[in-house]
Amino acid sequence: ALPAWLWWGLGGGAALLLGTVAGIGLLRRQVAEQTRHLTAGREEFARSEARYRSLAENSADWVWSADLRGWRDYSNQRVMGILGIEPKAVCGVDPAPFIHPEDLPLFQATLAQALAAGGGWLAVPIRWRSAARGWRVLEASASPVFDAAGRQVGFQGMDRDVTERREAELE
């Protein structure tokens, strides 16, 4: 015959084992649910990214993103139609050589004001060098981009070619 305390110990151990198994089952269900949730989130993100890319690539305007210095890190293909420049030629380089010397102070001041305010800009006219068509007047609009910690890391925007409109206004 086994002592009563041993039976109580075995019963307690069995209850502990059953509780552990139940807890593991619950955790597995929660992990599976979170995995489904994350997978759905990734799929939605991929759809959203594809939608954005499609809009950007089919825009009549030059769509871009830039770092805090104003250096482009993304450019849609429209820059080729507007300036005759391949998108990769404007990415990762200082934009100053592409900007009219008289407009460079405006470009730099606009960037500095946007950084100081944590904002963007709207319809700022800047002349950009075109490979085949001389200087083109582009109205730039941009909004700030922030990282997960809330720090501003750059800008995203678009430039619209308004050269003909500006020339008509001057006549």
Side-chain angles (χ1 to χ4, degrees), residues 94-112:
D94 186 353
F98 298 102
I99 298 172
H100 193 285
E102 293 174 8
D103 292 349
L104 194 54
L106 174 60
F107 176 83
Q108 293 166 334
T110 300
L111 194 61

Side-chain angles (χ1 to χ4, degrees), residues 77-87 89-90 98 128-134 136 161:
Q77 291 292 322
R78 188 64 186 126
V79 71
M80 184 69 181
I82 295 172
L83 299 178
I85 301 170
E86 290 287 335
V90 296
F98 298 102
W128 286 74
R129 182 185 316 277
S130 171
R133 303 188 304 168
R136 305 300 293 173
D161 188 351

Side-chain angles (χ1 to χ4, degrees), residues 31-50:
V31 166
E33 168 113 9
Q34 290 299 321
T35 301
R36 279 192 300 279
H37 179 70
L38 288 173
T39 301
R42 270 190 246 119
E43 290 168 358
E44 178 57 31
F45 178 79
R47 282 192 297 275
S48 177
E49 176 73 12

